[in-house]
Amino acid sequence: MAVLIQNGRRRVISHRFHVGRHGCLVRNAGFTYLFALLLTAILSLSAAGAASIWHIESRRQAEVELIFIGHQFRSAIGAYYIKNKKYPMSLQDLLGTSDAVGTKARFLRKLYRDPLSGKADWGLVPAGNAGIAGVYSLSSAEPIKVAEFSSQDKTFEGASKYSEWKFIYVPRFIPTNQDGVMFPLPRP
């Protein structure tokens, strides 16, 4: 309710009006409330869009990390294979083994966690019956990156889930036993 004072007398004016700064009657239409509602809606939509972009960007970062970690495992398995002429029997073997002289050889600094699940659980690619030839993520989520992989990761193109990205070490020569019989090579 608005009160107007003119010539020292108070007058009550309708609820639709109020007295402005300079003593003039101003219509009270609720523009501030509407403006606040509109501003809240705009801010809510902006926050939702930012959250969506952040989620996609964090998955892209996890993919980059997965590829880096997969390459670390692949090169560690390769170094182990070259030194010992066999694949490691477990991922723990990559952390260090003692040879005949007693020196400890490390092939991997640590057992990495899967960046997609946050766990240290990895799928293992068997090398026939002779150890582990590679690793892969156990995630069944659909990858964002589906093309333009490096030459060593060309098998990842068109994969429908991360568990199809297998980081396998394949030696340059085909290993044979003492009788000349070839060992089965792991398949990507």
Side-chain angles (χ1 to χ4, degrees):
M1 183 169 355
V3 177
L4 180 64
I5 301 175
Q6 285 181 334
N7 299 333
R9 297 183 75 191
R10 295 180 70 193
R11 282 181 45 198
V12 176
I13 312 292
S14 167
H15 293 299
R16 293 184 177 176
F17 296 92
H18 72 275
V19 178
R21 266 200 266 185
H22 303 292
C24 301
L25 289 179
V26 179
R27 185 172 184 157
N28 200 5
F31 289 117
T32 305
Y33 179 70
L34 289 176
F35 179 73
L37 283 178
L38 181 64
L39 185 63
T40 303
I42 290 171
L43 289 175
S44 298
L45 290 174
S46 298
S52 174
I53 290 171
W54 177 82
H55 176 70
I56 290 172
E57 196 56 38
S58 66
R59 280 210 24 225
R60 283 185 200 269
Q61 183 62 33
E63 281 183 359
V64 169
E65 236 179 294
L66 176 63
I67 291 172
F68 170 78
I69 291 170
H71 289 174
Q72 294 296 310
F73 274 116
R74 181 188 291 149
S75 64
I77 291 170
Y80 184 96
Y81 182 87
I82 290 168
K83 180 168 178 35
N84 299 312
K85 304 296 183 236
K86 64 179 184 175
Y87 286 103
M89 297 307 284
S90 72
L91 293 179
Q92 291 290 335
D93 292 346
L94 299 175
L95 293 178
T97 57
S98 296
D99 58 8
V101 183
T103 59
K104 192 169 186 172
R106 275 196 109 129
F107 303 99
L108 195 63
R109 190 170 59 93
K110 66 177 184 174
L111 289 181
Y112 293 98
R113 294 183 172 275
D114 183 347
L116 300 171
S117 68
K119 299 178 183 173
D121 296 334
W122 292 92
L124 304 176
V125 178
N129 58 359
I132 299 168
V135 297
Y136 60 92
S137 173
L138 297 174
S139 174
S140 61
E142 185 177 342
I144 296 173
K145 183 174 182 164
V146 293
E148 297 181 16
F149 288 97
S150 65
S151 61
Q152 60 187 350
D153 297 331
K154 282 292 182 193
T155 58
F156 300 171
E157 290 189 5
S160 61
K161 52 188 173 179
Y162 289 115
S163 61
E164 294 174 5
W165 289 12
K166 297 189 179 186
F167 300 92
I168 302 172
Y169 173 74
V170 179
R172 293 184 184 188
F173 62 93
I174 299 173
T176 59
N177 65 9
Q178 296 169 346
D179 301 325
V181 177
M182 289 187 281
F183 292 116
L185 290 175
R187 296 182 184 202

